[in-house]
Amino acid sequence: MAEHEGSVRVDSWIWSVRLVKTRALAAAACRAGHVKVNGERAKPAQSLKPGDEVRVREEGYERVVVVQKLIRKRVGAEVAAQCLVDNSPPRPPREFVAAAGTRDRGAGRPTKRERRELDQLRGL
């Protein structure tokens, strides 16, 4: 296993422990603000250390994990599970996940006010 003593980039780590499919998606999630380390928004190159809490937001669901070991290379699922403690809440059943709203054709983009109301409805 490729273990590292000092620190590891957050985008590399979340890819290594299989929270995202590709390293590029991990970096994009960080840039978009979907990754938080200890409650703060994380940039892709931010360093992680054991004990840090990492939150990765997916579609209507948030994964909450605590760093156990630092790794740089992608490893098998069993080894990856040893590198983190998963404190995520259980996933909501599919029928309870709110479907993406559809807008009337020609209605244009939602206004800022409509966007806030949509986010409030979705619980974001």
Side-chain angles (χ1 to χ4, degrees):
M1 178 167 62
E3 220 175 293
H4 192 263
E5 292 300 317
S7 60
V8 172
R9 290 171 56 114
V10 68
D11 63 341
S12 178
W13 188 82
I14 64 174
W15 167 73
S16 298
V17 296
R18 298 171 170 264
L19 294 178
V20 292
K21 287 188 178 186
T22 66
R23 173 87 184 270
L25 284 176
C30 291
R31 283 193 299 272
H34 299 306
V35 179
K36 292 185 179 180
V37 175
N38 297 327
E40 298 291 319
R41 206 171 145 169
K43 291 184 177 179
Q46 181 173 335
S47 296
L48 282 179
K49 56 190 182 309
D52 283 345
E53 180 189 68
V54 179
R55 292 175 175 263
V56 180
R57 196 169 77 219
E58 299 170 5
E59 299 170 21
Y61 179 69
E62 188 173 51
R63 295 285 306 264
V64 182
V65 297
V66 177
V67 179
Q68 288 287 95
K69 290 183 186 173
L70 298 177
I71 58 172
R72 283 201 168 147
K73 300 290 181 200
R74 193 164 173 105
V75 292
E78 294 88 26
V79 180
Q82 298 169 3
C83 298
L84 57 89
V85 176
D86 196 348
N87 295 333
S88 304
R91 281 185 182 269
R94 282 189 180 258
E95 61 268 8
F96 291 117
V97 175
T102 57
R103 292 183 59 81
D104 295 331
R105 187 160 175 84
R109 291 175 47 175
T111 63
K112 192 171 188 177
R113 180 179 181 183
E114 291 170 337
R115 182 72 198 178
R116 284 195 199 114
E117 290 170 353
L118 286 171
D119 287 344
Q120 190 176 8
L121 278 173
R122 291 182 185 139
L124 299 177

